[in-house]
Amino acid sequence: MNSTPDPRIRQLAEARQRIAHGGISYIPAWDDLTDEQREQSAREAANWLRAAVEAGLMPPADRPTPEHDAVLIDNHGQLWSEYQTSPSSHGDALLRLVWASEQCSSKTEMEAEGTEFRLIGWSE
């Protein structure tokens, strides 16, 4: 399946742990959980993440083909895209994506023509 462990699994498992203990004054830290509790949470998170990927709500962690460039959103809501260089930068070169107001399209019309959109985050 994946060639490398998907870091989103632990992120989901830790977030689920915080949510599950939201009404409790003491929330056990991830590292304070037993190995069994962490493994169970990670298995559940892996299944939810797989479901989200298969439903098209999240992209797969691995690059589908060498021609695919990652589109990223940072913690400030800014959008970035990998920029392929020659020789290869191995995904290190990024370009910030900016809004081009002169190229505005109608979302309603595009959806009517069969385009499907996925919300990946919120930009400032």
Side-chain angles (χ1 to χ4, degrees):
M1 193 159 108
N2 287 345
S3 59
T4 58
D6 189 337
R8 298 176 297 179
I9 291 172
R10 180 166 172 172
Q11 292 169 330
L12 280 172
E14 287 181 6
R16 173 64 179 94
Q17 171 68 11
R18 287 190 303 274
I19 291 168
H21 293 88
I24 300 172
S25 60
Y26 171 73
I27 301 173
W30 180 257
D31 292 335
D32 292 340
L33 299 175
T34 66
D35 287 344
E36 184 180 327
Q37 289 171 318
R38 285 194 301 263
E39 288 172 14
Q40 180 181 349
S41 292
R43 278 192 306 272
E44 291 172 2
N47 286 334
W48 280 108
L49 182 58
R50 180 178 173 202
V53 169
E54 289 183 14
L57 300 173
M58 293 186 78
D62 292 333
R63 185 182 309 274
T65 70
E67 290 76 33
H68 280 82
D69 294 325
V71 177
L72 310 165
I73 186 166
D74 67 21
N75 59 327
H76 303 288
Q78 301 299 319
L79 299 175
W80 298 83
S81 178
E82 289 178 335
Y83 181 72
Q84 296 299 325
T85 59
S86 183
S88 175
S89 63
H90 304 288
D92 189 51
L94 296 177
L95 285 176
R96 180 156 176 240
L97 301 179
V98 296
W99 306 121
S101 60
E102 68 275 2
Q103 296 179 356
C104 183
S105 300
S106 166
K107 181 181 175 202
T108 304
E109 290 176 10
M110 291 176 71
E111 287 173 330
E113 294 170 358
T115 300
E116 295 180 14
F117 292 98
R118 272 185 303 202
L119 178 64
I120 61 168
W122 300 98
S123 181
E124 296 177 8

